[in-house]
Amino acid sequence: MRSLIDVLDFSVEELQELIDTANDIIARPEAYSQICRGKKLATLFFEPSTRTRLSFEAAMYELGGQVIGFSEANSSSSAKGESVADTAKVISCYADIIAMRHPKEGAPLVAAMNASIPVINAGDGGHNHPTQTLADLLTIYREKGGFENLTLGLCGDLKYGRTVHSLINAMSRYAGTRVVLISPEELKLPSYVKKDVLEAKGIPYEQTTNLEEAIPGLDILYMTRVQRERFFSPEEYLRLKDSYILTPEKLRGAREDLCIMHPLPRVNEISVAVDEDPRACYFKQVLYGKYMRMALILKLLKEAKAAGKLGVDMSQTLTDVLFCRNPRCICSVEQELKHVFKLSDRENKVYRCLYCEAKAN
Amino acid sequence: MRSLIDVLDFSVEELQELIDTANDIIARPEAYSQICRGKKLATLFFEPSTRTRLSFEAAMYELGGQVIGFSEANSSSSAKGESVADTAKVISCYADIIAMRHPKEGAPLVAAMNASIPVINAGDGGHNHPTQTLADLLTIYREKGGFENLTLGLCGDLKYGRTVHSLINAMSRYAGTRVVLISPEELKLPSYVKKDVLEAKGIPYEQTTNLEEAIPGLDILYMTRVQRERFFSPEEYLRLKDSYILTPEKLRGAREDLCIMHPLPRVNEISVAVDEDPRACYFKQVLYGKYMRMALILKLLKEAKAAGKLGVDMSQTLTDVLFCRNPRCICSVEQELKHVFKLSDRENKVYRCLYCEAKAN
Amino acid sequence: MRSLIDVLDFSVEELQELIDTANDIIARPEAYSQICRGKKLATLFFEPSTRTRLSFEAAMYELGGQVIGFSEANSSSSAKGESVADTAKVISCYADIIAMRHPKEGAPLVAAMNASIPVINAGDGGHNHPTQTLADLLTIYREKGGFENLTLGLCGDLKYGRTVHSLINAMSRYAGTRVVLISPEELKLPSYVKKDVLEAKGIPYEQTTNLEEAIPGLDILYMTRVQRERFFSPEEYLRLKDSYILTPEKLRGAREDLCIMHPLPRVNEISVAVDEDPRACYFKQVLYGKYMRMALILKLLKEAKAAGKLGVDMSQTLTDVLFCRNPRCICSVEQELKHVFKLSDRENKVYRCLYCEAKAN
């Protein structure tokens, strides 16, 4: 059985299959309007994320299915101390597929390892948010006609922005990708992403602190929200949050066919005055996200017929030998969860937590 | 495209059309049970109002449609600082029609101006609550056989009770309406409603502080809740909340065909002992509210086929010249929202905020 | 019309009818997948209980019906002071059947006495939780092939565990039942349950503090959660919560066909290592709970066609003569609710509150 925990769980071929399905849904919605009749999606949101939750629910309804779930932890059994593993086993009795949002990194993987139905990671803390990346990819595919030879500009919070890291990872698999990193010093892309992804895959990239100068060379401008909750002090947040606000003025030198994206919600990183610009694609991105979630639900339900729980490759792992110290990892709270580390870099003997991917130390 | 922000957005003819549809739904429910198949209603409740929300959801399900949404702001993106305008644009990607409840006055209008789907105002602070008025009107129509020559008694909180103001406005458009205002001094109908509505339309009215004496002359007795949240001090609330409690004793002199109404929820304005009285119509009112919401959803979805966003008459308006100072207005919180004032009274040069209708000062 | 307030509202024959229906649903799910088309279940959860709520919602969807409702009191009208009686009358305008969870004992009975649709008690404080007992009974029936001549071991919190009291009550109606009570001194089964149920019905039972010694003699081992909220001090909770944890070691002497049950959620009363044991039935119990709720909804909707409100036997009752002093009883908060006491033991002149069953004193 398949689940979606990290967007890289899917090969380039599988991603193309999802994109083809999404395009077919857009072309022939009525052909899909009853395809999930009698199926149920469980939206298990241990922290609120209305936009993501409603996108999944709209997706399931447009496939003719039903939805059960909760939108906050305080209305969930976890308040009574139920483990994620038990919740996954219980929900497997009620639904056909799970979309889980959880503040702890790796929680959806724990759910997938215990559920008897597919699990979709709808965001696990600052770790992964693969369906956002699926939305981004369909937007790029439809707006640019494909994934090759594109110059991708990423602007704002490149340090904590998980959607940025996932998108870089996903785009690094296509030929001719070039990356321009636009951020203040304090929010630069972490060096491990540069090293392990950009450099490892030979992706040319440059770093700059100047948005306006970078714009003219871009095919895609991906703006990100500066999240209050990622900052250590309110002062630091206030000082930085207004950096890199996109305005019509800054777009003067931009290409005719620039594609402006944003994962939303925005605070004020993009002036409302830009919304009317035909190059503004961030609301189309929302719509495309729904279609990719429809395609994803269809793919996972189809593959769910292949019985058995999630097959996790346990080769080159250590169990209860190393222990995860990441306070944001599901390991820090889940009852009786074995600590598993996987050899991620043989040469340098780097082991990473199976759940949150934190390095062993 | 049409939205419903204020009950007066509809002409007398349009209201009659809604009433006719509601009566037909009551007569032939099965003819409507699949009419919204494949359509989705988004219930965006930025503050809780269970009864109103469930009425909309029941309405949509009885039309064969589906529902997505949230019941409180803390499980909404607004917690992350998303504007009402952006929420409206995002939800337009997920649903076919929106029912919005918001603590800020004018928020549903801002949503309607930005959504690409119809928006129903399900209550915006103390400002408007048009679907309650639609429920009231169907109740009056079915119980009294029409709207003409009726003596309408309104009792309780006439100062803050928005449903009272809307009902007076709506009934003032029918011939022969007479109004009896029953309240303590502290909660009398505001003079601007008397002047701008009752006197402007030549509606005969009287004011009294004595419920029992007023009852015999009434065709309709509209009781209202004394809302804790409208009071400045708990003491004042406690002193007044028990005023004007309807009991079987007070009904001794009432007409055989009196229609007793209440928007609900009640605290204790109507003794439970009155519930069994055949003249008690406040639970029928709940049922009729559901049918009017069904009729409203049908009308707006039909008119939604006419593309384009909400047409707001911007003639005689000033933009970013005058500024709204009402702390309860959506202007006080919405990002980059232009302040618009409309000339509401040429003779006296009165300008009112487009969103909350507060006078410019 | 029928409602389900206490599992003993159903005769042994009616329970068998529910079990037969549930077994038929399991055998032929497609025969039931549209049977509630056009019907609505209202899940009114005045306190959160995700597992129970989702079980009801999954049940209704698998019958082809729809669901409306709320998952917490703070998003309900009760925040505005609406009585349970009024809520029941209002929801009767929106739905066809109600499942109510409420922190006050007797609240679902008050709802059933005022609603014009059937009401299912989904848990009223520490009082009753009949659908959990229905789940337990189907599990026993399917795992043991019937209800007769079974030795039932109950372990953990036997003092406050309402599901234990209900199960003892239900099983005491079958021939050959034997009970083994396994708990620490502090959490022993209350003497009134022993006296009024076990002794009154002549059920042989023994009490022990040793789980491991008791296991070999059992057909069924019913483990219970030690609920933090039931304890007077956190210290006492911490001291007792780890007592009586079931492990593979303790199961060494157990029968081959032992049936291990737990109402869930568990904290750590059962080691995760036991989950893989074929005798572990607690997740099957979850699944069976859904099927019994489906059978229950079908039965009550069928009987709802018989008009009229819930028939409560008011013989041998006193109204507003005795007053309930139980602070957890709905009497303590419900507006204008008459206090009714019923003669439950003529010989000893014992009167009990109609709502919470507390003894008059």
Side-chain angles (χ1 to χ4, degrees):
Chain A
M1 196 177 59
R2 287 296 293 275
S3 282
L4 176 62
I5 304 306
D6 180 333
V7 72
L8 298 181
D9 294 346
F10 286 144
S11 66
V12 167
E13 294 65 32
E14 287 178 305
L15 282 172
Q16 191 57 51
E17 174 199 332
L18 285 174
I19 287 167
D20 295 344
T21 304
N23 282 325
D24 193 51
I25 292 169
I26 294 168
R28 310 183 300 120
E30 65 294 331
Y32 294 84
S33 68
Q34 291 299 310
I35 201 167
C36 284
R37 183 96 181 260
K39 298 288 187 191
K40 290 187 246 72
L41 165 71
T43 50
L44 310 183
F45 278 55
F46 289 88
E47 67 180 2
S49 177
T50 303
R51 207 170 37 73
T52 302
R53 181 174 58 84
L54 295 185
S55 180
F56 273 107
E57 297 185 5
M60 192 57 170
Y61 288 131
E62 292 186 26
L63 293 169
Q66 285 289 17
V67 179
I68 60 174
F70 51 87
S71 57
E72 298 181 79
N74 64 337
S75 49
S76 91
S77 294
S78 67
K80 291 187 188 157
E82 185 169 68
S83 68
V84 166
D86 280 8
T87 297
K89 289 175 182 174
V90 167
I91 298 300
S92 297
C93 300
Y94 299 153
D96 301 283
I97 184 165
I98 291 170
M100 177 182 284
R101 177 95 164 196
H102 201 288
K104 291 293 182 183
E105 303 176 2
L109 176 59
V110 171
M113 292 167 73
N114 288 278
S116 52
I117 59 179
V119 174
I120 298 170
N121 179 359
D124 58 334
H127 184 223
N128 282 317
H129 190 13
T131 58
Q132 177 64 57
T133 307
L134 294 182
D136 299 342
L137 291 172
L138 181 61
T139 306
I140 292 169
Y141 187 88
R142 287 182 66 93
E143 295 297 314
K144 310 307 295 183
F147 295 117
E148 304 206 329
N149 305 310
L150 294 174
T151 299
L152 170 66
L154 301 140
C155 178
D157 171 3
L158 307 188
K159 183 175 180 182
Y160 303 101
R162 63 186 169 185
T163 59
V164 165
H165 304 172
S166 291
L167 185 57
I168 288 172
N169 248 309
M171 289 300 289
S172 69
R173 303 198 289 186
Y174 299 102
T177 297
R178 287 173 304 279
V179 171
V180 181
L181 305 165
I182 308 157
S183 76
E185 284 301 322
E186 294 83 345
L187 295 175
K188 281 170 71 173
L189 192 73
S191 53
Y192 72 84
V193 181
K194 289 180 214 157
K195 188 173 162 309
D196 301 352
V197 183
L198 294 174
E199 290 162 19
K201 305 240 179 97
I203 304 294
Y205 70 96
E206 55 190 85
Q207 299 192 85
T208 171
T209 59
N210 188 313
L211 172 58
E212 192 153 12
E213 285 177 14
I215 285 178
L218 305 175
D219 296 306
I220 296 155
L221 173 57
Y222 197 95
M223 300 294 296
T224 63
R225 185 161 59 93
V226 177
Q227 290 178 265
R228 183 182 276 93
E229 54 268 38
R230 300 265 178 260
F231 281 84
F232 304 115
S233 76
E235 297 68 33
E236 197 184 355
Y237 169 72
L238 289 173
R239 187 168 63 78
L240 291 174
K241 80 186 215 312
D242 290 353
S243 321
Y244 310 97
I245 293 180
L246 187 65
T247 59
E249 296 64 42
K250 294 209 183 75
L251 283 168
R252 282 212 202 83
R255 295 188 182 157
E256 276 306 307
D257 64 351
L258 174 66
C259 172
I260 303 167
M261 300 172 66
H262 189 299
L264 302 186
R266 71 174 154 186
V267 179
N268 61 356
E269 311 80 40
I270 300 179
S271 164
V272 169
V274 174
D275 295 3
E276 299 312 308
D277 188 308
R279 294 168 292 190
C281 298
Y282 33 92
F283 289 113
K284 283 186 197 169
Q285 217 174 329
V286 173
L287 190 61
Y288 294 150
K290 179 182 71 178
Y291 291 120
M292 281 300 263
R293 290 180 174 100
M294 291 171 76
L296 176 63
I297 289 168
L298 285 176
K299 176 181 172 61
L300 294 181
L301 284 177
K302 203 174 83 205
E303 299 186 12
K305 284 167 189 145
K309 299 194 174 181
L310 177 67
V312 174
D313 173 11
M314 296 298 271
S315 65
Q316 300 185 313
T317 58
L318 300 172
T319 297
D320 286 348
V321 174
L322 298 167
F323 293 91
C324 184
R325 305 257 174 274
N326 174 6
R328 299 181 309 281
C329 179
I330 186 65
C331 286
S332 65
V333 292
E334 180 80 354
Q335 167 196 343
E336 288 186 56
L337 181 64
K338 289 185 167 22
H339 285 229
V340 178
F341 277 76
K342 198 165 176 60
L343 184 62
S344 69
D345 176 351
R346 170 175 299 284
E347 182 182 328
N348 303 298
K349 302 200 176 42
V350 176
Y351 280 86
R352 290 185 178 278
C353 173
L354 181 68
Y355 308 106
C356 70
E357 297 176 69
K359 261 190 198 164
N361 45 17
Chain B
M1 196 177 60
R2 287 295 293 278
S3 282
L4 176 62
I5 304 306
D6 180 332
V7 73
L8 298 181
D9 294 347
F10 286 143
S11 65
V12 166
E13 295 65 33
E14 287 178 306
L15 281 173
Q16 190 56 51
E17 174 199 330
L18 285 174
I19 286 168
D20 295 343
T21 304
N23 283 326
D24 193 52
I25 293 169
I26 294 169
R28 310 184 300 121
E30 66 294 333
Y32 294 85
S33 68
Q34 291 299 310
I35 200 167
C36 285
R37 184 94 182 262
K39 297 290 186 189
K40 290 187 246 72
L41 165 70
T43 50
L44 310 183
F45 278 54
F46 289 86
E47 68 179 3
S49 178
T50 303
R51 208 170 37 75
T52 302
R53 180 174 59 84
L54 296 185
S55 181
F56 273 107
E57 297 186 5
M60 192 57 170
Y61 288 131
E62 292 186 26
L63 293 168
Q66 285 289 15
V67 178
I68 61 174
F70 51 87
S71 56
E72 298 180 82
N74 64 338
S75 48
S76 92
S77 294
S78 67
K80 290 184 187 159
E82 185 169 66
S83 67
V84 166
D86 280 9
T87 298
K89 289 174 182 175
V90 166
I91 298 301
S92 296
C93 300
Y94 299 153
D96 302 284
I97 184 166
I98 291 170
M100 176 182 286
R101 176 95 165 196
H102 201 289
K104 292 292 182 183
E105 303 175 2
L109 176 58
V110 171
M113 292 167 73
N114 287 277
S116 52
I117 58 179
V119 174
I120 298 169
N121 179 359
D124 58 334
H127 183 222
N128 282 318
H129 190 11
T131 59
Q132 177 63 57
T133 308
L134 293 182
D136 299 341
L137 291 173
L138 182 61
T139 306
I140 292 169
Y141 187 87
R142 288 183 65 94
E143 295 299 312
K144 311 308 295 182
F147 294 117
E148 306 205 327
N149 306 310
L150 294 174
T151 299
L152 171 66
L154 301 140
C155 177
D157 172 3
L158 307 187
K159 183 176 181 183
Y160 303 100
R162 62 186 170 185
T163 58
V164 166
H165 304 171
S166 292
L167 185 57
I168 288 173
N169 249 307
M171 289 300 289
S172 69
R173 303 198 291 186
Y174 298 102
T177 297
R178 288 173 302 281
V179 170
V180 181
L181 304 167
I182 309 157
S183 76
E185 284 300 323
E186 295 84 347
L187 296 174
K188 281 170 72 174
L189 191 73
S191 53
Y192 72 85
V193 181
K194 290 181 213 156
K195 189 172 160 309
D196 301 352
V197 183
L198 294 173
E199 288 161 21
K201 305 239 178 100
I203 304 294
Y205 70 96
E206 54 189 86
Q207 299 192 82
T208 172
T209 59
N210 189 315
L211 172 59
E212 191 154 11
E213 285 176 13
I215 284 178
L218 305 175
D219 296 305
I220 296 154
L221 172 58
Y222 197 96
M223 299 293 295
T224 64
R225 184 162 60 94
V226 178
Q227 290 180 264
R228 185 182 274 94
E229 54 268 40
R230 300 265 178 260
F231 282 83
F232 304 114
S233 76
E235 296 68 31
E236 198 185 352
Y237 168 72
L238 289 173
R239 188 169 61 79
L240 290 174
K241 78 183 217 310
D242 290 353
S243 321
Y244 309 96
I245 293 181
L246 188 64
T247 59
E249 296 64 39
K250 292 208 184 76
L251 283 168
R252 281 212 200 81
R255 295 188 184 158
E256 276 306 307
D257 64 351
L258 173 67
C259 172
I260 304 168
M261 300 172 67
H262 188 299
L264 301 187
R266 71 173 153 187
V267 178
N268 61 354
E269 310 80 39
I270 300 178
S271 163
V272 169
V274 174
D275 295 3
E276 299 311 309
D277 189 309
R279 294 168 292 190
C281 298
Y282 32 91
F283 289 112
K284 282 186 196 169
Q285 215 174 332
V286 173
L287 190 61
Y288 293 150
K290 179 182 70 178
Y291 291 121
M292 280 301 262
R293 290 180 175 100
M294 291 171 76
L296 176 63
I297 290 167
L298 285 176
K299 176 181 173 62
L300 294 181
L301 284 176
K302 204 173 82 205
E303 299 185 11
K305 283 167 190 143
K309 298 193 174 181
L310 176 68
V312 174
D313 173 11
M314 297 297 272
S315 64
Q316 301 185 312
T317 59
L318 300 171
T319 296
D320 286 347
V321 174
L322 298 167
F323 293 91
C324 184
R325 304 259 174 273
N326 173 6
R328 298 181 309 280
C329 180
I330 186 66
C331 286
S332 65
V333 292
E334 180 81 354
Q335 169 197 338
E336 288 185 55
L337 181 64
K338 289 185 167 22
H339 286 228
V340 179
F341 276 75
K342 198 164 176 55
L343 184 62
S344 69
D345 177 351
R346 172 175 300 284
E347 179 182 328
N348 304 298
K349 301 200 176 43
V350 176
Y351 280 86
R352 290 185 179 277
C353 172
L354 181 68
Y355 308 106
C356 70
E357 296 175 71
K359 261 190 196 162
N361 46 17
Chain C
M1 198 176 58
R2 286 295 293 277
S3 282
L4 176 62
I5 303 305
D6 179 331
V7 74
L8 298 182
D9 295 346
F10 286 144
S11 66
V12 167
E13 294 65 31
E14 287 178 305
L15 282 172
Q16 190 57 51
E17 173 199 331
L18 285 174
I19 287 168
D20 294 344
T21 304
N23 282 326
D24 193 51
I25 293 169
I26 294 169
R28 312 183 299 121
E30 65 294 331
Y32 295 84
S33 67
Q34 291 299 309
I35 200 166
C36 285
R37 184 95 182 262
K39 298 288 187 189
K40 291 187 247 74
L41 165 71
T43 50
L44 309 183
F45 278 54
F46 290 87
E47 67 179 4
S49 177
T50 303
R51 206 170 39 73
T52 302
R53 180 173 58 85
L54 296 185
S55 181
F56 273 107
E57 298 186 5
M60 192 57 170
Y61 288 131
E62 293 187 25
L63 293 169
Q66 285 288 15
V67 179
I68 61 173
F70 52 87
S71 56
E72 297 181 81
N74 64 336
S75 48
S76 90
S77 294
S78 66
K80 292 188 188 156
E82 184 170 68
S83 68
V84 166
D86 280 8
T87 298
K89 289 174 182 175
V90 166
I91 299 300
S92 297
C93 300
Y94 299 152
D96 301 283
I97 184 166
I98 290 170
M100 176 182 285
R101 176 95 165 197
H102 201 288
K104 291 294 182 181
E105 303 176 1
L109 176 59
V110 171
M113 292 167 73
N114 287 277
S116 52
I117 59 178
V119 174
I120 298 170
N121 179 359
D124 58 334
H127 184 224
N128 281 317
H129 190 12
T131 59
Q132 176 63 55
T133 307
L134 293 182
D136 299 342
L137 291 172
L138 182 61
T139 306
I140 292 169
Y141 187 88
R142 287 181 66 93
E143 295 299 312
K144 311 307 295 182
F147 295 117
E148 303 205 330
N149 306 309
L150 295 174
T151 300
L152 170 65
L154 301 140
C155 177
D157 172 2
L158 308 187
K159 184 175 180 183
Y160 303 101
R162 62 183 170 187
T163 59
V164 165
H165 304 172
S166 292
L167 185 58
I168 288 173
N169 248 308
M171 289 300 290
S172 70
R173 303 198 289 186
Y174 299 102
T177 298
R178 287 172 304 279
V179 171
V180 181
L181 304 166
I182 309 156
S183 76
E185 284 301 322
E186 294 84 344
L187 295 174
K188 280 170 73 173
L189 191 73
S191 53
Y192 72 84
V193 181
K194 289 180 213 157
K195 189 173 160 311
D196 301 351
V197 183
L198 295 174
E199 289 161 21
K201 304 242 179 97
I203 304 294
Y205 71 94
E206 53 189 87
Q207 298 193 82
T208 171
T209 60
N210 189 315
L211 172 59
E212 191 154 11
E213 285 176 14
I215 285 178
L218 305 176
D219 296 305
I220 296 155
L221 172 57
Y222 196 96
M223 300 294 295
T224 63
R225 184 161 60 93
V226 178
Q227 290 179 266
R228 183 182 276 93
E229 56 267 41
R230 300 266 179 259
F231 281 83
F232 305 114
S233 76
E235 297 66 34
E236 198 184 352
Y237 168 72
L238 290 173
R239 187 169 62 78
L240 290 175
K241 78 184 216 314
D242 291 353
S243 321
Y244 309 96
I245 293 180
L246 187 64
T247 58
E249 297 62 41
K250 292 208 184 76
L251 283 168
R252 283 214 199 80
R255 295 188 183 156
E256 276 306 306
D257 64 352
L258 174 66
C259 171
I260 303 167
M261 300 171 68
H262 188 298
L264 302 186
R266 71 172 154 187
V267 178
N268 61 356
E269 310 81 41
I270 300 179
S271 164
V272 170
V274 175
D275 295 3
E276 299 311 308
D277 189 308
R279 295 168 292 191
C281 298
Y282 32 92
F283 290 112
K284 281 186 198 169
Q285 214 174 334
V286 173
L287 189 60
Y288 294 150
K290 179 183 70 177
Y291 291 121
M292 280 301 261
R293 290 181 174 100
M294 290 171 76
L296 176 64
I297 289 167
L298 285 176
K299 176 180 173 63
L300 294 181
L301 284 177
K302 204 174 82 204
E303 299 185 12
K305 284 167 191 143
K309 298 193 172 180
L310 177 67
V312 174
D313 173 11
M314 297 298 271
S315 65
Q316 301 184 314
T317 58
L318 300 172
T319 297
D320 287 347
V321 174
L322 298 167
F323 293 90
C324 183
R325 304 256 174 275
N326 173 6
R328 298 180 310 279
C329 179
I330 186 66
C331 286
S332 65
V333 292
E334 180 80 353
Q335 168 197 339
E336 287 186 56
L337 181 64
K338 289 186 167 20
H339 285 230
V340 179
F341 276 76
K342 199 166 177 53
L343 183 62
S344 69
D345 176 351
R346 170 174 301 284
E347 182 182 329
N348 303 299
K349 302 200 175 41
V350 176
Y351 280 87
R352 290 184 178 277
C353 173
L354 182 68
Y355 308 106
C356 70
E357 296 175 70
K359 260 189 199 163
N361 46 15

